[in-house]
Amino acid sequence: MELSCGRPAAALPGMEAESPGEDYESLPSGASLSTHMTAGAVAGILEHTVMYPVDSVKTRMQSLQPDPKAQYKSVYGALKKIIHTEGFWRPLRGINVTMLGAGPAHAMYFACYEKMKRTLSDIIHHGGNSHLANGIAGSMATLLHDAVMNPAEVVKQRMQMYNSPYKTVLECIRTVHRTEGLGAFYRSYTTQLTMNVPFQAIHFITYEFMQEQINPRREYNPRSHILSGAIAGAVAAAATTPLDVCKTLLNTQENMALSSVNISGHLSGMANAFRTVYQLGGIPGYFRGVQARVIYQMPSTAIAWSVYEFFKYFLTKHKLEKRAPY
């Protein structure tokens, strides 16, 4: 998730900003690499795990040829049915690999983003803020994030599918590597990037627009960050659902779906995925699971934004308090 700092901010409550560069919207210039990585890792893990059961439902609802026993009409109905027929913990299968991936992926994302943003801003805008620098930094950070997260996504989604043959994460990794090769873990990488670029753009623009409407002074306001993040996540999630459906097909390699359109072996390539989804479901096929995706993304992005904004507020406040005369 791209968190740009390209806007002026008000001073912290009860304090005067020391200079234009020392405001809440920018993490302290002296913040270490580990600070950015810790903030990013916490935000990332919470973002991906709090709503994980809904993510499991989303993966199943995006199935193009679902088993008759795994056809669901609503998110609530799906969760209720999964727990009743497959056990209480079934919606959480694969959450461990998600946590293992999300922590380092988001840690590197935030660290790369902050470093690239400052470096490029110095070059493009001579120390000031540059929207171009923010955009380039976000794109570069996304490349790194997805490179780490994509293998975890493949394993996670295969664990989430109905009647998954894999009992453990390690078994899934070993089987996929042995039968499909290392490339299977990156089969959807280009689709993931193609999805994340517009997702980040829509997400960021919507968040900034909402902040202008409900928090024009850009103060630390948890409710405004949560609301803006939730709306931004919902809009971006709905708009990019077709790409997410294609990514799910590439990750899971649904046997029933592929055999029904006479595809032998493994499906690869975004264009082939788009064609296959259309063959199996027409235009509505591109929006399978959109309800679950939006319900999952709203609280997830709200959590990520609020956690990251809190870290910025807390760290800046701590720094200013240390500088204040006794």
Side-chain angles (χ1 to χ4, degrees):
M1 183 181 71
E2 180 179 341
L3 300 178
S4 178
C5 302
R7 54 190 189 264
L12 290 167
M15 298 184 188
E16 294 181 1
E18 291 186 281
S19 71
E22 296 292 340
D23 53 31
Y24 146 68
E25 286 297 339
S26 236
L27 277 168
S29 57
S32 65
L33 180 67
S34 62
T35 297
H36 294 301
M37 296 185 79
T38 302
V42 173
I45 290 172
L46 288 174
E47 176 186 356
H48 283 278
T49 57
V50 169
M51 294 297 290
Y52 188 83
V54 179
D55 185 55
S56 294
V57 171
K58 183 213 70 167
T59 296
R60 293 195 181 193
M61 292 182 82
Q62 288 180 339
S63 174
L64 297 169
Q65 291 284 324
D67 187 284
K69 296 179 182 178
Q71 294 181 350
Y72 314 108
K73 294 182 179 180
S74 68
V75 174
Y76 175 74
L79 277 173
K80 187 177 178 180
K81 186 175 181 179
I82 291 170
I83 291 171
H84 179 71
T85 59
E86 301 175 54
F88 180 79
W89 298 108
R90 186 61 181 87
L92 295 176
R93 183 179 289 183
I95 193 173
N96 48 350
V97 74
T98 300
M99 293 176 69
L100 287 172
H106 280 72
M108 286 190 283
Y109 178 92
F110 280 92
C112 175
Y113 176 78
E114 295 290 347
K115 177 65 176 177
M116 290 286 294
K117 181 188 68 177
R118 277 198 286 268
T119 302
L120 292 172
S121 290
D122 286 340
I123 297 171
I124 298 171
H125 208 259
H126 303 293
N129 181 68
S130 167
H131 292 295
L132 177 60
N134 294 339
I136 296 172
S139 298
M140 294 298 293
T142 299
L143 288 171
L144 189 61
H145 169 276
D146 287 357
V148 176
M149 200 64 194
N150 209 87
E153 282 282 317
V154 172
V155 176
K156 176 199 78 174
Q157 292 199 299
R158 294 199 182 204
M159 298 284 290
Q160 289 173 332
M161 292 296 284
Y162 177 75
N163 250 353
S164 172
Y166 312 109
K167 301 300 181 185
T168 66
V169 167
L170 195 58
E171 179 193 347
C172 181
I173 293 171
R174 285 173 174 169
T175 304
V176 172
H177 182 263
R178 184 179 66 252
T179 59
E180 301 177 44
L182 190 63
F185 295 105
Y186 286 95
R187 197 174 280 132
S188 64
Y189 184 52
T190 53
T191 304
Q192 179 97 342
L193 288 175
T194 305
M195 177 181 72
N196 277 344
V197 169
F199 180 93
Q200 301 292 9
I202 296 168
H203 182 190
F204 173 66
I205 291 169
T206 305
Y207 182 86
E208 288 296 325
F209 174 78
M210 289 301 301
Q211 282 290 287
E212 288 174 0
Q213 305 306 309
I214 63 178
N215 187 21
R217 294 185 62 191
R218 303 307 172 96
E219 296 175 326
Y220 175 63
N221 185 327
R223 281 183 294 184
S224 79
H225 299 315
I226 290 171
L227 180 61
S228 299
I231 293 174
V235 173
T240 57
T241 294
L243 288 162
D244 193 49
V245 171
C246 293
K247 183 203 77 172
T248 297
L249 178 61
L250 289 169
N251 279 345
T252 59
Q253 298 288 309
E254 279 186 79
N255 291 326
M256 289 179 63
L258 298 182
S259 61
S260 68
V261 289
N262 299 317
I263 294 178
S264 57
H266 305 298
L267 182 70
S268 62
M270 185 173 64
N272 289 331
F274 261 97
R275 193 179 304 115
T276 304
V277 171
Y278 184 77
Q279 284 179 293
L280 290 166
I283 297 298
Y286 292 115
F287 292 91
R288 293 184 71 90
V290 64
Q291 178 194 33
R293 179 164 161 77
V294 169
I295 291 174
Y296 164 77
Q297 203 67 53
M298 285 182 72
S300 296
T301 49
I303 289 167
W305 274 108
S306 58
V307 169
Y308 192 69
E309 296 281 10
F310 169 75
F311 265 87
K312 288 196 291 185
Y313 171 77
F314 176 79
L315 291 169
T316 306
K317 181 180 179 182
H318 179 67
K319 182 182 179 182
L320 293 179
E321 286 176 343
K322 284 178 68 176
R323 289 183 178 182
Y326 292 100

